[in-house]
Amino acid sequence: MKKIILGALVLLNFYTVSAQQNEKDNLKKNEEAIAKSSEEKPNGWTKKGLFTFLANQATFNNWTAGGQSNVSGNIGVNYDFNYKNNNWNWDNKLIIGYGLTKIKDQDLQKSDDRLQFNSLIGKKASGYWFYSGFVNFKTQFDSGFEGGVKTSHFFSPAYLQFGPGMLWKKSDNLKVNIAPATSKVILVHSHFTEFGPSFGVEQGKTTRFEFGAALSGYYKFQLAENITCENILNLYSNYLEDPQNVDLDYTLNISMKINKYLSTNFAYQTIYDDNAFRGFQTRQVIGLGLNYGF
């Protein structure tokens, strides 16, 4: 009888410990799930920004294989301020980039010049789908030259796109917006169209209106433990003229983190817009970056 009672007590103790452990495990899982849910879907505003200074230098002295000494520097600001509340999402991104290159015995030249603002608002429809509306604005800061002739400057050209659509958003790092009724306005100063068309704007005019379809995609992921890969894609087709000529703007940013403040950054951008240039425009920058988050 004593053995039976002792065995029962041992068995009861085992089940009690097991139940307590399971309760602890379930509590921990619930806390982790709540924390994860809170992290993925914060309520209210979330703001984050990154300032980057990228530097490159190459020096040649009596180098028989050839080469020109040069130095370049780029600054960039990437600032996100997003809002989430129940069934609403409002994502805003500000992108600023400016760079200069000095090649020996030559004048300073621009290596980057961007000012861009994107705003995308969505109301929950079903699953990952949202009814959406977007605004995209981009221009440049400084004057551009071709063959010694000024071809552009601040707010000339300037591009404005806006329209309703549908947003598929799995997370802040993976989303696609489809806008089949997009308006696009191109603005240039009158002195650029005085003797001919410029950036698609007809001679003697300062604006061009287009109506078409736009698609934008964003995908950011960890390529490795300290390597982040960011993809930004924008497509646009003008219903009113040559809809088969789809405008393309694709940017790839790869950041290889060294420590909290230093990283090696690679940026590649390609643009196709037959109103500005009948061919692909490409930009590639690589160098050691100094980063500051805010």
Side-chain angles (χ1 to χ4, degrees):
M1 186 67 178
K2 291 182 179 180
K3 292 182 178 179
I4 294 175
I5 295 174
L6 181 61
L9 290 174
V10 171
L11 188 62
L12 179 62
N13 182 64
F14 172 79
Y15 277 116
T16 303
V17 171
S18 179
Q20 289 177 345
Q21 184 62 40
N22 289 335
E23 186 178 352
K24 289 181 180 179
D25 291 340
N26 290 334
L27 182 60
K28 184 178 180 181
K29 287 180 181 179
N30 290 335
E31 289 175 349
E32 290 175 350
I34 293 172
K36 184 177 180 182
S37 175
S38 176
E39 180 180 353
E40 290 180 349
K41 297 182 179 180
N43 195 28
W45 287 98
T46 57
K47 303 174 184 179
K48 61 179 180 179
L50 180 67
F51 171 84
T52 303
F53 174 70
L54 197 66
N56 293 280
Q57 181 181 0
T59 303
F60 301 91
N61 187 25
N62 300 323
W63 193 254
T64 58
Q68 290 182 303
S69 299
N70 65 84
V71 61
S72 65
N74 292 68
I75 60 171
V77 175
N78 196 322
Y79 184 61
D80 294 275
F81 49 107
N82 303 330
Y83 179 80
K84 292 182 181 180
N85 186 12
N86 297 327
N87 294 325
W88 287 92
N89 276 263
W90 186 16
D91 298 340
N92 301 277
K93 179 183 283 289
L94 177 65
I95 300 173
I96 296 173
Y98 189 77
L100 292 172
T101 297
K102 179 66 171 73
I103 301 176
K104 185 178 180 181
D105 301 326
Q106 295 184 21
D107 294 332
L108 280 171
Q109 300 178 29
K110 286 195 303 181
S111 57
D112 192 13
D113 192 357
R114 292 176 297 152
L115 172 59
Q116 185 170 337
F117 173 70
N118 300 314
S119 184
L120 176 62
I121 190 169
K123 186 181 187 301
K124 188 81 169 183
S126 177
Y128 294 129
W129 287 97
F130 296 77
Y131 304 108
S132 68
F134 86 101
V135 174
N136 171 268
F137 174 79
K138 59 182 180 180
T139 186
Q140 62 189 56
F141 291 100
D142 204 356
S143 300
F145 295 87
E146 186 175 335
V149 178
K150 183 185 289 189
T151 56
S152 61
H153 59 59
F154 176 66
F155 216 83
S156 186
Y159 300 90
L160 176 65
Q161 286 186 338
F162 55 92
M166 291 296 295
L167 167 67
W168 182 88
K169 181 178 181 181
K170 188 174 182 180
S171 69
D172 286 341
N173 293 328
L174 179 58
K175 53 190 172 183
V176 177
N177 188 63
I178 305 169
T182 297
S183 297
K184 180 178 180 180
V185 180
I186 305 173
L187 306 170
V188 296
H189 196 279
S190 58
H191 52 238
F192 291 123
T193 59
E194 185 176 358
F195 302 106
S198 177
F199 298 99
V201 180
E202 296 179 0
Q203 182 176 355
K205 296 184 177 182
T206 58
T207 61
R208 172 186 171 91
F209 176 78
E210 297 180 0
F211 183 74
L215 182 146
S216 63
Y218 182 82
Y219 182 36
K220 184 178 181 180
F221 63 96
Q222 291 290 126
L223 195 61
E225 183 178 357
N226 293 323
I227 303 177
T228 303
C229 182
E230 181 183 51
N231 297 270
I232 305 171
L233 174 66
N234 291 285
L235 302 174
Y236 176 77
S237 174
N238 179 20
Y239 295 146
L240 306 179
E241 182 182 325
D242 299 326
Q244 73 279 4
N245 292 347
V246 178
D247 295 346
L248 166 78
D249 189 341
Y250 170 70
T251 301
L252 169 66
N253 296 314
I254 298 178
S255 176
M256 292 161 276
K257 186 177 179 180
I258 299 172
N259 57 37
K260 184 178 179 180
Y261 297 107
L262 293 175
S263 65
T264 299
N265 297 330
F266 171 79
Y268 173 80
Q269 183 178 15
T270 183
I271 296 175
Y272 180 83
D273 183 351
D274 60 340
N275 290 322
F277 177 75
R278 292 191 176 276
F280 282 94
Q281 308 170 56
T282 59
R283 177 182 66 90
Q284 180 177 305
V285 180
I286 187 170
L288 181 66
L290 176 64
N291 308 309
Y292 175 73
F294 60 93

